[in-house]
Amino acid sequence: CQWVVAQAAGTVDFDAISSNVVIFRVDSSVEHNLGKEGYIIKIEEFSKSKFTITISGVTDRAILFGVGRLLREMRNDYHVSYASALQTQCYLTLDHQLIVSKPDYEMRQHQVAYRPKTNSYDAFTPKMMRQEVLDLALFGTNAIEMIPPGVDDALQSPNFTIPWLDMLTFVSGFCDKLDINVSMWYPAFFKTYDAPEMLKKAKEHWGLIFSHLRRLDVLFVPGGDPGGRPAKEFFKVVEMQAKYMREN
């Protein structure tokens, strides 16, 4: 079947169209019940065998999650006839004419590490990485975590399709376009941060990595693996990183 896509019901001339309609509506009135990421999917018949599907949420991100749910509710099947070629059918059952949903957990993050150790993502092209992030978002992922070069990996993989830093730029930019959070796994791996020369190298590395990100919502600094250090020293380094990010 064919679908008409609209931003609001008022933009659709229902009498003039011969197909179903999907309406995306950002509606602040649903915030109280569903939060920033919840959505409502409502299916209504506006004429014989014609339906409107309205996806409502308070943010674009909520609408994205609603679209993902709608796609998961749809079914693929085949029409078999001896008189014609096999035809693929995609349909939506009307078992649920109203779907109201909100996440159980605020953080639903997935690490997509373009680096030599994974032996999988490191062979992804930007197009493949884009599809990976989009698929995760349509299934409700609200954050993508990446890993910077120069920690404890080789700087190059024979499988890389583009340079590591370029992929960080691409993925963070696409996440920003989808309004999906970007997280960076970034251990305090330098031997010491007290020596001026070592601190200078650390800040240069911070500047290199952060300058290639189009968006950064969370900086995750693990206590080890690598970089294990006493808690007092660890928190001191985290404060230094936070101060650097705010000032730069």
Side-chain angles (χ1 to χ4, degrees), residues 99-150:
I99 299 174
V100 181
S101 181
K102 65 178 180 180
D104 291 329
Y105 304 99
E106 290 188 10
M107 178 177 285
R108 303 179 307 283
Q109 180 170 288
H110 189 86
Q111 187 184 92
V112 180
Y114 184 76
R115 60 172 179 159
K117 282 182 180 175
T118 59
N119 195 31
S120 55
Y121 295 127
D122 59 334
F124 276 19
T125 64
K127 181 179 180 181
M128 295 165 67
M129 191 66 80
R130 181 183 185 278
Q131 189 64 56
E132 174 78 7
V133 172
L134 179 59
D135 288 347
L136 288 169
L138 290 174
F139 274 86
T141 296
N142 67 354
I144 297 296
E145 183 175 82
M146 296 181 290
I147 292 179

Short mmCIF file of all heavy atoms in Angstrom, two decimals, residues 99-150:
data_model
loop_
_atom_site.label_atom_id
_atom_site.label_comp_id
_atom_site.label_asym_id
_atom_site.label_seq_id
_atom_site.Cartn_x
_atom_site.Cartn_y
_atom_site.Cartn_z
N ILE A 99 -1.79 2.65 20.98
CA ILE A 99 -0.58 2.20 21.67
C ILE A 99 0.00 3.38 22.44
O ILE A 99 0.29 4.42 21.86
CB ILE A 99 0.47 1.65 20.69
CG1 ILE A 99 -0.08 0.45 19.92
CG2 ILE A 99 1.76 1.28 21.42
CD1 ILE A 99 0.85 -0.05 18.82
N VAL A 100 0.13 3.22 23.74
CA VAL A 100 0.73 4.25 24.60
C VAL A 100 1.94 3.63 25.28
O VAL A 100 1.82 2.60 25.95
CB VAL A 100 -0.27 4.76 25.66
CG1 VAL A 100 0.37 5.83 26.53
CG2 VAL A 100 -1.54 5.29 24.99
N SER A 101 3.10 4.23 25.10
CA SER A 101 4.32 3.61 25.60
C SER A 101 5.32 4.66 26.08
O SER A 101 5.41 5.74 25.50
CB SER A 101 4.96 2.74 24.51
OG SER A 101 6.13 2.11 24.98
N LYS A 102 6.05 4.32 27.13
CA LYS A 102 7.17 5.15 27.57
C LYS A 102 8.26 4.23 28.10
O LYS A 102 7.99 3.12 28.57
CB LYS A 102 6.74 6.15 28.64
CG LYS A 102 6.29 5.54 29.95
CD LYS A 102 5.94 6.63 30.94
CE LYS A 102 5.49 6.03 32.28
NZ LYS A 102 5.15 7.10 33.26
N PRO A 103 9.52 4.65 28.04
CA PRO A 103 10.63 3.77 28.45
C PRO A 103 10.61 3.46 29.94
O PRO A 103 10.22 4.30 30.76
CB PRO A 103 11.88 4.58 28.08
CG PRO A 103 11.40 5.64 27.13
CD PRO A 103 10.00 5.93 27.51
N ASP A 104 11.07 2.27 30.28
CA ASP A 104 11.23 1.89 31.69
C ASP A 104 12.53 2.45 32.26
O ASP A 104 12.65 2.66 33.46
CB ASP A 104 11.23 0.37 31.84
CG ASP A 104 9.85 -0.23 31.57
OD1 ASP A 104 8.85 0.45 31.84
OD2 ASP A 104 9.79 -1.38 31.08
N TYR A 105 13.52 2.66 31.39
CA TYR A 105 14.84 3.11 31.84
C TYR A 105 15.25 4.36 31.06
O TYR A 105 15.05 4.43 29.85
CB TYR A 105 15.89 2.00 31.63
CG TYR A 105 15.53 0.71 32.32
CD1 TYR A 105 14.94 -0.34 31.60
CD2 TYR A 105 15.75 0.53 33.68
CE1 TYR A 105 14.59 -1.52 32.22
CE2 TYR A 105 15.41 -0.66 34.30
CZ TYR A 105 14.83 -1.67 33.57
OH TYR A 105 14.48 -2.86 34.20
N GLU A 106 15.84 5.31 31.78
CA GLU A 106 16.25 6.56 31.13
C GLU A 106 17.45 6.37 30.23
O GLU A 106 17.57 7.03 29.20
CB GLU A 106 16.56 7.61 32.20
CG GLU A 106 15.33 8.12 32.94
CD GLU A 106 15.64 9.29 33.84
OE1 GLU A 106 16.77 9.83 33.74
OE2 GLU A 106 14.77 9.68 34.63
N MET A 107 18.37 5.49 30.59
CA MET A 107 19.56 5.26 29.77
C MET A 107 19.44 3.93 29.06
O MET A 107 19.35 2.87 29.69
CB MET A 107 20.85 5.29 30.61
CG MET A 107 22.10 5.02 29.78
SD MET A 107 23.64 5.13 30.72
CE MET A 107 23.81 6.90 30.87
N ARG A 108 19.45 3.98 27.75
CA ARG A 108 19.39 2.77 26.92
C ARG A 108 20.49 2.92 25.87
O ARG A 108 20.25 3.30 24.74
CB ARG A 108 18.00 2.63 26.28
CG ARG A 108 16.89 2.62 27.32
CD ARG A 108 15.52 2.51 26.73
NE ARG A 108 15.25 3.52 25.72
CZ ARG A 108 14.95 4.79 25.99
NH1 ARG A 108 14.90 5.21 27.24
NH2 ARG A 108 14.71 5.64 25.01
N GLN A 109 21.70 2.65 26.32
CA GLN A 109 22.89 2.99 25.54
C GLN A 109 23.53 1.75 24.94
O GLN A 109 23.50 0.67 25.53
CB GLN A 109 23.89 3.69 26.47
CG GLN A 109 25.19 4.11 25.82
CD GLN A 109 25.99 4.99 26.74
OE1 GLN A 109 25.65 6.14 26.98
NE2 GLN A 109 27.07 4.47 27.30
N HIS A 110 24.11 1.92 23.77
CA HIS A 110 24.78 0.82 23.09
C HIS A 110 26.14 1.30 22.61
O HIS A 110 26.25 2.38 22.02
CB HIS A 110 23.95 0.35 21.90
CG HIS A 110 24.43 -0.91 21.27
ND1 HIS A 110 24.05 -2.16 21.72
CD2 HIS A 110 25.25 -1.12 20.23
CE1 HIS A 110 24.65 -3.09 20.96
NE2 HIS A 110 25.38 -2.48 20.06
N GLN A 111 27.17 0.52 22.86
CA GLN A 111 28.51 0.89 22.42
C GLN A 111 28.75 0.38 21.01
O GLN A 111 28.60 -0.81 20.72
CB GLN A 111 29.57 0.31 23.36
CG GLN A 111 30.98 0.80 23.05
CD GLN A 111 32.03 0.16 23.93
OE1 GLN A 111 32.61 -0.86 23.57
NE2 GLN A 111 32.28 0.76 25.10
N VAL A 112 29.10 1.31 20.13
CA VAL A 112 29.47 0.97 18.76
C VAL A 112 30.92 1.41 18.58
O VAL A 112 31.20 2.58 18.31
CB VAL A 112 28.55 1.67 17.74
CG1 VAL A 112 28.96 1.29 16.32
CG2 VAL A 112 27.10 1.30 17.98
N ALA A 113 31.82 0.50 18.78
CA ALA A 113 33.25 0.84 18.86
C ALA A 113 33.95 0.56 17.54
O ALA A 113 34.28 -0.58 17.21
CB ALA A 113 33.92 0.05 19.99
N TYR A 114 34.18 1.61 16.78
CA TYR A 114 34.95 1.52 15.55
C TYR A 114 36.42 1.53 15.94
O TYR A 114 37.04 2.58 16.12
CB TYR A 114 34.60 2.72 14.66
CG TYR A 114 35.24 2.72 13.28
CD1 TYR A 114 34.76 1.88 12.28
CD2 TYR A 114 36.29 3.58 12.99
CE1 TYR A 114 35.33 1.91 11.01
CE2 TYR A 114 36.86 3.61 11.73
CZ TYR A 114 36.38 2.77 10.74
OH TYR A 114 36.94 2.80 9.48
N ARG A 115 37.00 0.36 16.11
CA ARG A 115 38.39 0.21 16.55
C ARG A 115 38.88 -1.18 16.20
O ARG A 115 38.07 -2.09 15.97
CB ARG A 115 38.51 0.46 18.05
CG ARG A 115 37.69 -0.50 18.92
CD ARG A 115 38.04 -0.31 20.38
NE ARG A 115 37.27 -1.18 21.25
CZ ARG A 115 37.63 -1.50 22.49
NH1 ARG A 115 38.76 -1.02 22.99
NH2 ARG A 115 36.89 -2.28 23.23
N PRO A 116 40.19 -1.41 16.19
CA PRO A 116 40.72 -2.70 15.74
C PRO A 116 40.27 -3.90 16.55
O PRO A 116 40.10 -4.98 16.01
CB PRO A 116 42.24 -2.52 15.86
CG PRO A 116 42.45 -1.05 15.72
CD PRO A 116 41.26 -0.42 16.39
N LYS A 117 40.03 -3.74 17.86
CA LYS A 117 39.74 -4.89 18.72
C LYS A 117 38.41 -5.58 18.43
O LYS A 117 38.24 -6.74 18.77
CB LYS A 117 39.75 -4.46 20.19
CG LYS A 117 41.14 -4.28 20.78
CD LYS A 117 41.04 -3.90 22.24
CE LYS A 117 42.43 -3.71 22.85
NZ LYS A 117 42.36 -3.22 24.24
N THR A 118 37.48 -4.87 17.85
CA THR A 118 36.15 -5.46 17.73
C THR A 118 36.07 -6.57 16.69
O THR A 118 35.24 -7.48 16.82
CB THR A 118 35.14 -4.37 17.33
OG1 THR A 118 35.54 -3.79 16.08
CG2 THR A 118 35.05 -3.30 18.40
N ASN A 119 36.89 -6.49 15.64
CA ASN A 119 36.84 -7.47 14.55
C ASN A 119 35.45 -7.54 13.93
O ASN A 119 35.01 -8.59 13.49
CB ASN A 119 37.27 -8.86 15.04
CG ASN A 119 37.60 -9.79 13.88
OD1 ASN A 119 38.05 -9.35 12.83
ND2 ASN A 119 37.36 -11.07 14.06
N SER A 120 34.75 -6.44 13.93
CA SER A 120 33.42 -6.38 13.32
C SER A 120 33.13 -4.96 12.85
O SER A 120 33.15 -4.67 11.66
CB SER A 120 32.35 -6.85 14.31
OG SER A 120 32.41 -6.10 15.51
N TYR A 121 32.90 -4.04 13.81
CA TYR A 121 32.59 -2.67 13.44
C TYR A 121 33.72 -2.01 12.67
O TYR A 121 33.49 -1.07 11.91
CB TYR A 121 32.32 -1.82 14.69
CG TYR A 121 31.10 -2.22 15.48
CD1 TYR A 121 31.18 -2.47 16.85
CD2 TYR A 121 29.85 -2.33 14.86
CE1 TYR A 121 30.06 -2.81 17.58
CE2 TYR A 121 28.73 -2.68 15.59
CZ TYR A 121 28.83 -2.92 16.95
OH TYR A 121 27.72 -3.26 17.67
N ASP A 122 34.94 -2.47 12.86
CA ASP A 122 36.07 -1.80 12.19
C ASP A 122 36.03 -1.96 10.68
O ASP A 122 36.73 -1.25 9.96
CB ASP A 122 37.41 -2.28 12.75
CG ASP A 122 37.61 -3.78 12.58
OD1 ASP A 122 36.61 -4.51 12.52
OD2 ASP A 122 38.78 -4.21 12.54
N ALA A 123 35.19 -2.85 10.19
CA ALA A 123 35.04 -3.02 8.74
C ALA A 123 33.83 -2.26 8.19
O ALA A 123 33.57 -2.29 7.00
CB ALA A 123 34.92 -4.50 8.40
N PHE A 124 33.11 -1.56 9.06
CA PHE A 124 31.92 -0.85 8.62
C PHE A 124 32.29 0.37 7.77
O PHE A 124 33.23 1.10 8.08
CB PHE A 124 31.10 -0.36 9.82
CG PHE A 124 30.17 -1.40 10.40
CD1 PHE A 124 30.34 -2.74 10.14
CD2 PHE A 124 29.11 -1.01 11.20
CE1 PHE A 124 29.49 -3.68 10.68
CE2 PHE A 124 28.24 -1.94 11.74
CZ PHE A 124 28.42 -3.28 11.48
N THR A 125 31.52 0.59 6.74
CA THR A 125 31.58 1.84 5.99
C THR A 125 30.69 2.86 6.70
O THR A 125 29.87 2.49 7.55
CB THR A 125 31.08 1.65 4.56
OG1 THR A 125 29.68 1.29 4.62
CG2 THR A 125 31.86 0.56 3.84
N PRO A 126 30.81 4.16 6.39
CA PRO A 126 29.88 5.13 6.99
C PRO A 126 28.41 4.76 6.74
O PRO A 126 27.58 4.93 7.63
CB PRO A 126 30.27 6.44 6.30
CG PRO A 126 31.73 6.28 6.01
CD PRO A 126 31.89 4.83 5.63
N LYS A 127 28.10 4.27 5.56
CA LYS A 127 26.73 3.88 5.26
C LYS A 127 26.27 2.75 6.17
O LYS A 127 25.14 2.77 6.68
CB LYS A 127 26.62 3.45 3.79
CG LYS A 127 25.21 3.07 3.37
CD LYS A 127 25.16 2.68 1.90
CE LYS A 127 23.74 2.29 1.48
NZ LYS A 127 23.70 1.89 0.05
N MET A 128 27.12 1.77 6.40
CA MET A 128 26.78 0.66 7.30
C MET A 128 26.63 1.14 8.73
O MET A 128 25.73 0.71 9.46
CB MET A 128 27.84 -0.44 7.20
CG MET A 128 27.92 -1.12 5.85
SD MET A 128 29.43 -2.09 5.63
CE MET A 128 29.19 -3.39 6.82
N MET A 129 27.53 2.04 9.15
CA MET A 129 27.45 2.56 10.51
C MET A 129 26.18 3.38 10.69
O MET A 129 25.54 3.33 11.75
CB MET A 129 28.69 3.41 10.81
CG MET A 129 28.83 3.78 12.27
SD MET A 129 29.14 2.36 13.36
CE MET A 129 30.90 2.12 13.07
N ARG A 130 25.81 4.13 9.68
CA ARG A 130 24.58 4.92 9.73
C ARG A 130 23.38 3.99 9.93
O ARG A 130 22.49 4.26 10.73
CB ARG A 130 24.43 5.72 8.44
CG ARG A 130 23.18 6.59 8.38
CD ARG A 130 23.08 7.29 7.02
NE ARG A 130 21.98 8.22 6.96
CZ ARG A 130 20.72 7.88 6.71
NH1 ARG A 130 20.41 6.61 6.48
NH2 ARG A 130 19.77 8.81 6.67
N GLN A 131 23.36 2.88 9.19
CA GLN A 131 22.25 1.94 9.30
C GLN A 131 22.23 1.29 10.68
O GLN A 131 21.16 1.07 11.27
CB GLN A 131 22.34 0.88 8.22
CG GLN A 131 21.12 -0.02 8.12
CD GLN A 131 19.88 0.76 7.71
OE1 GLN A 131 19.87 1.43 6.68
NE2 GLN A 131 18.83 0.69 8.53
N GLU A 132 23.41 0.97 11.22
CA GLU A 132 23.51 0.38 12.55
C GLU A 132 22.91 1.31 13.61
O GLU A 132 22.11 0.89 14.45
CB GLU A 132 24.98 0.10 12.88
CG GLU A 132 25.24 -0.40 14.30
CD GLU A 132 24.90 -1.86 14.50
OE1 GLU A 132 24.57 -2.54 13.52
OE2 GLU A 132 24.96 -2.32 15.66
N VAL A 133 23.30 2.58 13.56
CA VAL A 133 22.79 3.55 14.53
C VAL A 133 21.29 3.76 14.37
O VAL A 133 20.55 3.81 15.35
CB VAL A 133 23.55 4.89 14.40
CG1 VAL A 133 22.92 5.96 15.26
CG2 VAL A 133 25.01 4.71 14.77
N LEU A 134 20.83 3.86 13.13
CA LEU A 134 19.41 4.06 12.88
C LEU A 134 18.59 2.86 13.37
O LEU A 134 17.54 3.03 14.01
CB LEU A 134 19.15 4.29 11.40
CG LEU A 134 17.69 4.49 10.98
CD1 LEU A 134 17.09 5.70 11.69
CD2 LEU A 134 17.59 4.66 9.46
N ASP A 135 19.05 1.65 13.10
CA ASP A 135 18.34 0.45 13.56
C ASP A 135 18.25 0.43 15.08
O ASP A 135 17.20 0.10 15.66
CB ASP A 135 19.04 -0.81 13.06
CG ASP A 135 18.86 -1.04 11.57
OD1 ASP A 135 18.00 -0.37 10.97
OD2 ASP A 135 19.59 -1.88 11.00
N LEU A 136 19.35 0.76 15.75
CA LEU A 136 19.35 0.79 17.21
C LEU A 136 18.36 1.83 17.73
O LEU A 136 17.62 1.58 18.69
CB LEU A 136 20.75 1.09 17.73
CG LEU A 136 21.79 -0.04 17.58
CD1 LEU A 136 23.19 0.48 17.88
CD2 LEU A 136 21.45 -1.21 18.51
N ALA A 137 18.33 2.99 17.09
CA ALA A 137 17.41 4.05 17.51
C ALA A 137 15.96 3.63 17.32
O ALA A 137 15.10 3.90 18.18
CB ALA A 137 17.70 5.33 16.74
N LEU A 138 15.66 2.97 16.22
CA LEU A 138 14.29 2.54 15.96
C LEU A 138 13.84 1.47 16.96
O LEU A 138 12.65 1.27 17.16
CB LEU A 138 14.17 2.01 14.53
CG LEU A 138 14.26 3.08 13.43
CD1 LEU A 138 14.28 2.43 12.05
CD2 LEU A 138 13.11 4.08 13.53
N PHE A 139 14.79 0.80 17.59
CA PHE A 139 14.45 -0.17 18.63
C PHE A 139 14.55 0.45 20.03
O PHE A 139 14.50 -0.26 21.03
CB PHE A 139 15.36 -1.40 18.54
CG PHE A 139 14.86 -2.45 17.59
CD1 PHE A 139 15.17 -2.37 16.24
CD2 PHE A 139 14.07 -3.50 18.02
CE1 PHE A 139 14.71 -3.33 15.35
CE2 PHE A 139 13.59 -4.45 17.15
CZ PHE A 139 13.92 -4.37 15.79
N GLY A 140 14.70 1.78 20.11
CA GLY A 140 14.61 2.46 21.39
C GLY A 140 15.91 2.87 22.03
O GLY A 140 15.91 3.41 23.14
N THR A 141 17.04 2.64 21.37
CA THR A 141 18.32 3.09 21.93
C THR A 141 18.38 4.61 21.91
O THR A 141 18.10 5.23 20.89
CB THR A 141 19.49 2.52 21.10
OG1 THR A 141 19.48 1.09 21.20
CG2 THR A 141 20.82 3.05 21.60
N ASN A 142 18.72 5.23 23.05
CA ASN A 142 18.76 6.69 23.08
C ASN A 142 20.17 7.25 23.25
O ASN A 142 20.33 8.46 23.43
CB ASN A 142 17.85 7.23 24.18
CG ASN A 142 18.33 6.89 25.58
OD1 ASN A 142 19.29 6.15 25.76
ND2 ASN A 142 17.64 7.43 26.59
N ALA A 143 21.19 6.39 23.19
CA ALA A 143 22.56 6.88 23.28
C ALA A 143 23.51 5.90 22.60
O ALA A 143 23.34 4.68 22.72
CB ALA A 143 22.98 7.09 24.73
N ILE A 144 24.49 6.44 21.89
CA ILE A 144 25.54 5.65 21.26
C ILE A 144 26.86 6.01 21.92
O ILE A 144 27.21 7.18 22.02
CB ILE A 144 25.62 5.92 19.74
CG1 ILE A 144 24.32 5.50 19.06
CG2 ILE A 144 26.82 5.20 19.13
CD1 ILE A 144 24.02 4.02 19.11
N GLU A 145 27.58 4.99 22.38
CA GLU A 145 28.89 5.23 23.00
C GLU A 145 30.00 4.84 22.03
O GLU A 145 29.95 3.78 21.40
CB GLU A 145 29.03 4.42 24.28
CG GLU A 145 30.35 4.70 25.00
CD GLU A 145 30.43 4.00 26.34
OE1 GLU A 145 30.77 2.80 26.37
OE2 GLU A 145 30.16 4.65 27.36
N MET A 146 31.00 5.72 21.93
CA MET A 146 32.14 5.48 21.06
C MET A 146 33.42 5.47 21.87
O MET A 146 33.44 5.88 23.04
CB MET A 146 32.19 6.54 19.96
CG MET A 146 30.99 6.49 19.04
SD MET A 146 31.08 7.73 17.72
CE MET A 146 30.82 9.23 18.66
N ILE A 147 34.49 5.01 21.25
CA ILE A 147 35.80 4.90 21.90
C ILE A 147 36.82 5.66 21.07
O ILE A 147 36.85 5.53 19.84
CB ILE A 147 36.21 3.42 22.06
CG1 ILE A 147 35.27 2.73 23.06
CG2 ILE A 147 37.65 3.30 22.52
CD1 ILE A 147 35.57 1.26 23.27
N PRO A 148 37.68 6.46 21.71
CA PRO A 148 38.64 7.26 20.96
C PRO A 148 39.90 6.47 20.61
O PRO A 148 40.23 5.48 21.28
CB PRO A 148 38.98 8.39 21.95
CG PRO A 148 38.89 7.72 23.28
CD PRO A 148 37.74 6.75 23.16
N PRO A 149 40.62 6.89 19.59
CA PRO A 149 41.92 6.27 19.30
C PRO A 149 42.97 6.76 20.30
O PRO A 149 42.79 7.76 20.98
CB PRO A 149 42.23 6.78 17.89
CG PRO A 149 41.51 8.09 17.80
CD PRO A 149 40.26 7.93 18.61
N GLY A 150 44.08 6.03 20.37
CA GLY A 150 45.20 6.46 21.18
C GLY A 150 45.16 6.02 22.62
O GLY A 150 45.93 6.52 23.45
#
